[in-house]
Each structure stands twice: as structure tokens, then as C-alpha cells.
Amino acid sequence: LSNAAFDKVWRNARLATLAPAAAGLGVVEHGAVASRAGRIAYAGPEHDLPSPGAAEIVDCGGRWITPGLIDCHTHLVYAGNRAAEFEQRLAGASYADIARAGGGIASSVAATREASLERLVAETLPRLDALIAEGVTTVEVKSGYGLDGPNEAKQLRAARQLAAHRPVGITTTFLGAHALPPGGDDKEAHIARVCNEMLPGVAAEGLADAVDAFCEGIAFSPEQVARVFTAARRHGLPVKLHADQLSDGGGARLAAEYGALSADHLEYASENGVAAMARAGTVAVLLPGAFYFLRETQAPPVALFRRHGVPMALATDSNPGTSPLTSILLAMNMGATLFRMTVEECIAGATREAAQALGLLRQIGTLETGKQCDLAVWSVDTISELIYRIGFNPLHLRVWNGQ
Ligand SMILES: [Zn+2]
């Protein structure tokens, strides 16, 4: 066993490597992937696989292997849910009626503040398991339902703990500028607290890998977001932004100005904003689950992203209010059906482009030598079936970190 060149080889497979140098999906017929110490030691044609062999060989029976899927935008950690509110809305209640009765985001904040750390983890694990069951190997998780120092920190600690319970990569994002805390500060005071108390606390504890904000008329202004981004920069944390979801608030351009990893939603982004994103290398993270659940009608400007060469990622935006979605495969199908993305764009959107949106493209997102060995093996004849089918999970096996 000690003489084996590789820990494990997955052979007799078709690969979608997503390698940037290759055309399209980087397809390799008759391919194999080999791992050593949790990393990809080889990915390519099986007949070029170096010998001697491996401690363990897995025959994939001609199945497809893609990089493990990446959900790069979620609000997965929260307590309670908003099913009752959903039901009231279907029965004719307005958003204003629901807000007056203590519903909306305020109810998620109240439930999340009430919950212990252990309870938050326990309520989140079934949602995480649903993602894992579809071949997801990395999940981004935002705070934003605590909205004060201790509760934002609790949410981020719960997110970090998920990685101790399941074989999955978790990245965390501080979203203190998500909404106004119920019954508390006004917007200016909340932003001051985010910049001067909450963000420094979170950074000091190493609880966040990035900082996010919600730039919208119903949330925070570009000027307020800029202050949060400046504070993030001071603490050496990269930024991303909920931008131009419901109106063109100049969010795409603002994100680009701060060299954001990603700008997310972007239904109303202008061409100026898209061009600025291209220059800054900011990824467009598209979230069809929220578009669907809110019955929006303006799709994000996919043609502009293509024309300007902005990479498009796809994510679930899993959250209790506007996207109670825990299926990355459905998000990929919706990217095609609702946003007219191609099959290649949808697959790249949940692998390579999602990795770039997290600043992790050097570690994950493609099948290339040296990257973490995160794989999804699929029982499909053609890779387009991953996008075409609805409510069907063809995952055969999932490998995270070589295991
Ligand atoms: Zn979101």
C-alpha cells in the first residue's frame, strides 16, 4: 500500500474538468481522476494515467464526473421558518399586513436570536444535508439574522460548526448590513454599529471570510454600503454585495469599485455596472430561486455579462423569506429555464465560477492537478441531463477532500 502512487483512482469515467484552458466543459471521454493526500494528483485520459497504481480503484462504469458542486450564496443558518407567512400571502395578506403582525425578516431575527448555538446547528443540518445529497462539497453561509454583535457572532459560529458535523467545506460571510434590527437603531446608527462594533468583533474572532451588504431602497444606500466596505478593507476582508435586485441602485458599479469578489442578484444592473464588474474581475452570482419565489419578471442581463466577459455563478440563495430552496440542481435548471443560460454556463456556474465568486478558484471548482479532490459522480448518459431534469437527483457518489 505504501508503494501506491495514489490513494485512490476513479476510472472508466467521462470527465467535465471545467479546466479554464480547455474548450467548453473540458470534456475527457475515457477519463480517470486520482487523489493523493486529499488533492487531485491526476485528472485526464485514463490511458495517460501514470503507473504504478493506487491503494484503491473505483470503477465508475462510464458515469460522468464533475467537480463537487459549490453553493456560493446561502443564508442557511437561521431558526424557524416562514411557512405561515407564505400561507397568509397566498390567502391575500400584503407584505405590509405581515410586517405589522411581526412577520417578515423580523420573525426570522427573533427566532434566530432566541435559538441557542446548538439549536441553530441542529435546525440547519437538514438543509445542509439536502445540498450534500446533490453533490455539493462547498457552501457559503451568511449571517444577517442576528443583527447585533452577539447574535451575528452566534450565527457565524454555528456556520463554522457545520463543517465539524459534515464532510463539507464551509465559508462564512458577515452580513450585518442585511436589514435594520427590529425596534432598534435607525439606518445610520445601525451602519455605525456594523462598522465600529460588530465587524471588528467578528474579524477579531476570525469568524468571517468575507463581508456582504444589502444595497437597495428597502435596505441600505450605496453610501452606507461604502462605509461597510471601507471597514471591511481595514480588517483585510474581501467584500461582496446584494446588488440591483429590485431596482438599479448602482450596486454593480459600487461592488466593482471595491474589487468585490461578487455582486449578487443583479436583475436591474446597468451596462455601466456590468462593464465595471468586468474590469474589476467581479463575478455575477445569479439567484433564480428568489426570482422564482418572488415571481419577478425582469431577468438579470445575461447577454451583457456574456458580452463583457463577466463570469456567471449560480446559487440557491437558500433563506427563509425569499428563497426557501435547498436544491442546487434546481437552481441550475432555473438558470437555464428562467434566465436562458446555456447548459455549459449552468454547470460552470455551480463549479468553476462559484469557486471564483468565493475567491477559492486556486483550491476548488475544477478537476485539475493540485486542487482539493472534491468530486461528484453522476449516473447520467449526457451531462446536459443535470440541467434538463427537474426534481431528479442522479448523484452516484460524492467525494470531499479525497474521501
Ligand atoms: Zn442573499
Side-chain angles (χ1 to χ4, degrees):
L1 201 142
S2 59
N3 287 332
F6 304 122
D7 296 333
K8 213 161 177 174
V9 169
W10 294 265
R11 60 166 297 274
N12 189 18
R14 284 177 282 177
L15 314 182
T17 64
L18 279 299
L25 294 172
V27 170
V28 178
E29 300 283 346
H30 312 291
V33 177
S35 72
R36 190 189 300 120
R39 314 224 148 251
I40 295 174
Y42 177 81
E46 185 168 340
H47 60 74
D48 291 341
L49 182 71
S51 54
E56 190 183 347
I57 295 174
V58 179
D59 185 338
C60 293
R63 291 181 178 84
W64 279 90
I65 303 182
T66 67
L69 302 185
I70 298 167
D71 194 350
C72 67
H73 179 139
T74 85
H75 308 251
L76 208 64
V77 170
Y78 57 86
N81 67 63
R82 309 249 283 275
E85 185 182 307
F86 177 66
E87 200 175 346
Q88 287 158 21
R89 277 205 349 256
L90 290 172
S94 68
Y95 280 101
D97 294 336
I98 287 165
R100 266 196 300 276
I105 193 168
S107 69
S108 293
V109 173
T112 301
R113 285 180 172 180
E114 181 103 349
S116 66
L117 178 67
E118 295 69 29
R119 176 89 208 147
L120 272 182
V121 171
E123 287 202 29
T124 303
L125 283 174
R127 295 189 281 270
L128 179 62
D129 286 338
L131 293 175
I132 286 173
E134 290 187 342
V136 171
T137 47
T138 300
V139 183
E140 185 259 13
V141 181
K142 301 175 196 297
S143 67
Y145 294 117
L147 299 180
D148 63 24
N151 284 298
E152 286 288 301
K154 178 180 71 181
Q155 234 190 316
L156 293 168
R157 274 188 215 108
R160 287 262 198 250
Q161 280 199 9
L162 295 171
H165 290 270
R166 295 292 186 271
V168 67
I170 299 286
T171 74
T172 58
T173 301
F174 170 62
L175 179 56
H178 187 201
L180 266 190
D185 295 331
D186 65 14
K187 288 185 184 180
E188 283 294 308
H190 182 66
I191 291 298
R193 200 181 293 275
V194 165
C195 295
N196 302 329
E197 296 172 27
M198 293 159 68
L199 202 162
V202 160
E205 261 196 85
L207 289 174
D209 302 311
V211 173
D212 194 350
F214 188 12
C215 187
E216 193 67 59
I218 59 165
F220 298 101
S221 71
E223 190 278 328
Q224 289 163 337
V225 169
R227 270 187 277 158
V228 175
F229 283 1
T230 302
R233 189 177 276 172
R234 210 179 309 131
H235 291 281
L237 290 170
V239 299
K240 54 183 81 174
L241 187 63
H242 285 68
D244 304 331
Q245 179 187 8
L246 308 171
S247 62
D248 178 12
R253 195 167 50 245
L254 175 65
E257 270 169 33
Y258 281 82
L261 291 171
S262 68
D264 303 35
H265 286 292
L266 296 170
E267 275 79 349
Y268 287 84
S270 67
E271 180 152 17
N272 272 341
V274 173
M277 286 174 64
R279 286 192 297 273
T282 298
V283 176
V285 176
L286 307 184
L287 305 166
F291 176 90
Y292 164 83
F293 196 74
L294 294 172
R295 298 193 188 91
E296 294 290 340
T297 53
Q298 174 149 340
V302 165
L304 286 181
F305 297 134
R306 286 186 190 129
R307 193 181 315 145
H308 289 272
V310 173
M312 292 179 279
L314 281 166
T316 63
D317 192 17
S318 188
N319 79 73
T322 61
S323 186
L325 170 64
T326 46
S327 169
I328 191 73
L329 290 175
L330 183 51
M332 292 159 79
N333 169 270
M334 287 175 169
T337 54
L338 300 178
F339 295 167
R340 306 281 171 170
M341 293 168 71
T342 66
V343 164
E344 285 184 12
E345 286 168 344
C346 292
I347 293 171
T351 54
R352 185 183 62 217
E353 321 300 26
Q356 191 178 337
L358 296 176
L360 294 174
L361 188 53
R362 290 163 62 99
Q363 289 86 18
I364 56 174
T366 66
L367 303 181
E368 291 179 282
T369 301
K371 289 203 178 180
Q372 184 166 305
C373 188
D374 295 351
L375 315 175
V377 184
W378 305 98
S379 295
V380 292
D381 292 326
T382 60
I383 198 69
S384 55
E385 283 176 65
L386 286 188
I387 309 304
Y388 154 78
R389 293 183 184 276
I390 302 170
F392 180 74
N393 181 2
L395 186 76
H396 176 65
L397 61 90
R398 173 190 175 276
V399 176
W400 177 75
N401 205 16
Q403 301 292 318

